[in-house]
């Protein structure tokens, strides 16, 4: 059993690097960074302040620059690419996987894009152009082109001799793809099938019927779901006419899965999922102020509703004191339902076919929880303020608002999805507005009618 | 290009199944379910109401029950296991992978646990007991025992003959493990190395130095990070003395990665990450009421602070109207910072070594955003209410609270982590309390001093 966890170990090493950097011991930092895997170097860059990143980058062995760029978060990568000279970039690009290369090119500023492309040799240039011809978030944008293809009519013995001659397989090769003479995809044969089959077996007899080709235009979410459904480790990518273009491996799919899961959480707080933890202050301030502005409008709507009851406060100041209670509980309940629905949508659990069942379930939960908290809060208020009627008013408002929260928590994300608006981004603000407005109206409105 | 996405296709199929189920066409439903992969069957069960799940389960071919149980969300699985008779369970367990089997056994009620164990044959019983001897969230709890081992001194030719004789490899085999005669792990040899090496090459010369063995007690988070760092597809698991126990494959790691990312989002809303979207109403109501109760305490604290200023409202009802504005904006800003920090912790970006840098960055962002919104809101209020002083008071409170939000957003999750409390679960409530209390005090306190 290790004495410290990986995370603690990372943090210790990071501290070491930062302290050395702070005291200007550049040679020592270079030495510390020398034998780290690209993943660790990326982690150190992402965990450092925006100011120290260019210095660290200079101290990383340029032979690793390509690999590190592949591992970096998009925002951090952009910052580093901006600081690199075009000819350096072209040199780095040569060693990169085609899918990562395309990603890097997509984040390049237009001004240096062509400069980098021109300083590459024609073979690399054509690799980049192929990769860029597919949308980033499709199978074509995720694939690599380093496949090994076999003809259907050769024997296992011939395949094994060919592989020995080759002497090396691309990373993460678990299957070979069988194609005809026009490069049309016929099927996949696993490496495991090759090594367990008889020497005289014919390749076409070993094709795994469970592996289908993925269309290059298929969206990345759908690709991820296919991998999970079939427990694939890799999959072939084909064009419209069925020609083999490349393959996707599971490590690229992992990134999609993580990004999806993170996306919901970050969006619900109005943050970009690629947000850089250590971005410069001005940049972060700008990015966040938009979301704060949207929320200010929500808050002002609550203020506008409250101001309709301004006169009541002079008579009954206790209403002003209690006014935040009902909206606050409704907001929490509504956001619970929203979070559940957003996760359900991401997992493919929630859609039109079961929307009604979900709606009645969540409204029922809202109503039941409303009864629980309405009873409790009414008792507290009735005893505290010796006012049974006030307790009754707040209980009624609570019950109304909790039920409304369940209703809004399901229907708003479903509605937003139908309008092609991201429910994770817009849902929370809208639900908070609904529970604020319903809560304030229910509480102050009923109080005005019954208590004044 | 497919005409509909995977998700739409799933929803259509789900609707088909549900409609058939609703009209009692059981034979047709059975037919619909017959050729679906286990992943799809699990998705259908998870997307159905708690009531229809037992019926669907009966209609699924029992030969697939084991595989479907492996794919199911924990909560949903528990519900189904409860409805199964012990001898059926024992039969299903025979075909399951050892890691999934252990997971199923961990969710069995004690009463039937022994009954199931007793109806298994001794070999299966010992498999279960091995799997259960490691904690669920460690490498030992994640591993499978279906490894292929090789001796270091044999030639590639011998290995290939052995594999042909075997005729079949365990799923997802990309490496063989080299062990000595005491089953001590020596190293890993990839399948790719075997097929590309010369027939007379010795196994020990093909060992991949980049693959290390994972200790059985290592936590699942650390396992996931090792896989990402080294781009592994599988890894050997050993005990303290270095004996080979089994292997972990990347598909098990994917589950950890997704669960981690989902965990933060669900916890922030006070939900269990394994929460069942279609759980029965009573169960969900109970689960959520705890969180609502915690939030009620937060809300009551805000009420208590506000009530200290009750007298002021009778003089200046406008203060009651505007009172929600400052806490609300502070809450949004604080939760933005919290979300960023929680994600940063999960990714390993944030720790003691860079906490101070992060703190000063977030406080600066809070201060700058405070200035922006303070100026704006002061202008609006000063013009609307023709009261420059009131505008000044709200601006001051806003600036104070936004700065406090940045401070609390960083320091609270770091503090909670040090106390071993999950920041994703407790952070949001605490920060909301801080921004409520600071916001109300700053606004109503200053207003009382300057305006009355």
């Amino acid at each position: 059993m290790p004495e410290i966890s990986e995370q603690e170990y990372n943090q210790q090493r990071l501290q070491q690097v930062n302290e050395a950097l702070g005291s200007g011991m550049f040679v020592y930092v270079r030495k510390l960074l020398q034998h780290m895997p690209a993943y660790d170097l990326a982690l150190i860059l992402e965990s450092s302040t925006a100011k120290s990143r260019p210095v660290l980058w200079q101290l990383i062995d340029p032979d690793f620059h390509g690999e590190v760029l592949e591992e970096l978060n998009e925002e951090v990568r952009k910052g580093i690419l901006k600081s690199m000279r075009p000819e350096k970039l072209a040199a780095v690009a040569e060693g990169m996987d085609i899918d990562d290369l395309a990603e890097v090119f997509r984040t390049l500023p237009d001004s240096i894009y062509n400069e980098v492309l021109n300083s590459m040799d024609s073979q690399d240039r054509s690799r980049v152009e192929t990769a860029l011809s597919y949308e980033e978030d499709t199978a074509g944008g995720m694939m690599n082109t380093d496949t090994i293809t076999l003809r259907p009519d050769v024997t296992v013995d011939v395949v094994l001799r060919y592989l020995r001659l080759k002497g090396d397989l691309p990373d993460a090769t678990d299957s070979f793809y069988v194609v005809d003479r026009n490069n049309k995809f016929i099927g996949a044969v696993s490496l495991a099938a090759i090594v367990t089959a008889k020497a005289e077996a014919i390749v076409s007899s070993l094709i795994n019927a469970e592996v289908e080709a993925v269309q290059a235009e298929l969206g990345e979410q759908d690709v991820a779901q296919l991998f999970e459904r079939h427990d694939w480790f890799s999959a072939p990518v084909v064009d419209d006419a069925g020609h083999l273009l490349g393959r996707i491996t599971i490590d690229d799919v992992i990134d999609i899965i993580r990004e999806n899961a993170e996306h919901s959480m970050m969006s619900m707080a109005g943050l970009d999922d690629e947000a850089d933890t250590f971005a410069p202050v001005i940049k972060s301030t700008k990015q966040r102020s938009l979301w704060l502005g949207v929320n200010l409008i929500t808050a002002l709507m609550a203020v506008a509703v409250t101001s309709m009851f301004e006169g009541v406060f002079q008579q009954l100041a206790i209403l002003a004191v209690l006014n935040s209670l009902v909206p606050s509980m409704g907001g929490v309940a509504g956001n619970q339902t929203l979070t559940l629905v957003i996760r359900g949508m991401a997992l493919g659990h929630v859609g039109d076919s079961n929307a009604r069942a979900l709606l009645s379930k969540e409204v029922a939960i809202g109503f039941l929880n409303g009864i629980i908290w309405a009873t409790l809060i009414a008792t507290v208020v009735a005893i505290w303020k010796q006012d049974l009627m006030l307790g009754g008013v707040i209980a009624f408002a609570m019950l109304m608002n909790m039920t409304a929260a369940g209703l809004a928590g399901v229907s708003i994300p479903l509605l937003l999805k139908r309008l092609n608006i991201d429910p994770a981004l817009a849902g929370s603000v809208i639900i908070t507005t609904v529970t604020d407005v319903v809560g304030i109206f229910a509480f102050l409105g009923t109080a005005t009618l019954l208590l004044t």
Side-chain angles (χ1 to χ4, degrees), chain A residues 255-274:
Chain A
D255 293 339
I256 307 295
I257 291 174
R258 196 214 326 273
E259 277 165 26
N260 278 345
E262 265 176 18
H263 167 79
S264 303
M265 173 174 87
M266 297 294 274
S267 296
M268 285 181 84
L271 298 167
D272 187 328
D273 22 308
E274 289 278 336

Side-chain angles (χ1 to χ4, degrees), chain A residues 42-297:
Chain A
L43 198 63
I44 287 187
L45 284 166
E46 286 169 354
S47 313
S48 300
T49 57
K51 227 187 291 174
S52 45
R53 282 176 193 152
V55 187
L56 280 168
W57 185 249
Q58 296 293 333
L59 296 171
I60 291 172
D61 181 351
D63 285 352
F64 282 94
H65 278 173
E67 278 178 64
V68 178
L69 282 178
E70 288 175 14
E71 299 277 353
L72 277 179
N73 160 314
E74 195 176 316
E75 284 281 316
V76 180
R77 182 166 57 208
K78 267 191 203 164
I80 286 181
L81 288 176
K82 247 190 239 167
S83 74
M84 285 178 80
R85 272 175 303 142
E87 60 276 19
K88 281 231 169 169
L89 248 169
V92 164
E94 272 170 41
M96 287 176 76
D97 282 348
I98 193 160
D99 54 339
D100 299 304
L101 194 57
E103 248 188 82
V104 166
F105 264 82
R106 284 196 181 90
T107 50
L108 279 186
D110 283 346
S111 55
I112 63 165
Y113 180 103
N114 283 316
E115 223 176 314
V116 177
L117 211 57
N118 288 333
S119 35
M120 297 176 92
D121 65 33
S122 69
Q123 199 196 335
D124 280 330
R125 198 154 51 221
S126 97
R127 282 176 70 217
V128 173
E129 279 161 356
T130 311
L132 287 171
S133 65
Y134 295 98
E135 294 288 326
E136 188 175 1
D137 55 357
T138 62
M142 293 166 74
M143 74 184 176
N144 260 309
T145 49
D146 55 356
T147 55
I148 294 191
T149 55
L150 303 176
R151 283 292 146 81
D153 50 4
V154 297
T155 61
V156 164
D157 199 40
V158 171
V159 173
L160 283 174
R161 267 187 284 143
Y162 162 70
L163 295 174
R164 266 183 208 155
L165 216 67
K166 234 177 122 42
D168 195 20
L169 299 185
D171 279 350
T173 297
D174 69 332
S175 290
F176 306 119
Y177 300 133
V178 186
V179 293
D180 69 12
R181 65 187 61 219
N182 298 316
N183 198 35
K184 268 211 172 183
F185 177 76
I186 300 175
V189 171
S190 73
L191 194 41
I194 295 287
V195 294
T196 51
K198 293 208 181 79
E200 62 275 15
I202 304 290
V203 160
S204 61
S205 71
L206 302 174
I207 287 179
N208 181 352
E210 279 178 47
V211 178
E212 311 150 25
V214 172
Q215 296 286 325
E217 290 91 351
L218 194 70
E220 58 179 15
Q221 312 265 11
D222 287 338
V223 172
Q225 205 176 24
L226 284 174
F227 267 76
E228 291 213 71
R229 168 175 292 148
H230 300 290
D231 284 326
W232 287 341
F233 279 60
S234 70
V237 180
V238 296
D239 67 13
D240 279 344
H243 298 112
L244 182 69
L245 296 172
R247 65 181 180 126
I248 297 174
T249 47
I250 197 167
D251 48 322
D252 300 313
V253 174
I254 288 186
D255 293 339
I256 307 295
I257 291 174
R258 196 214 326 273
E259 277 165 26
N260 278 345
E262 265 176 18
H263 167 79
S264 303
M265 173 174 87
M266 297 294 274
S267 296
M268 285 181 84
L271 298 167
D272 187 328
D273 22 308
E274 289 278 336
D276 167 9
T277 317
F278 292 93
V281 170
I282 300 292
K283 194 172 170 190
S284 301
T285 304
K286 265 195 221 157
Q287 283 172 345
R288 296 206 208 152
S289 61
L290 177 68
W291 186 246
L292 288 164
V294 172
N295 274 279
L296 183 64
I297 297 172

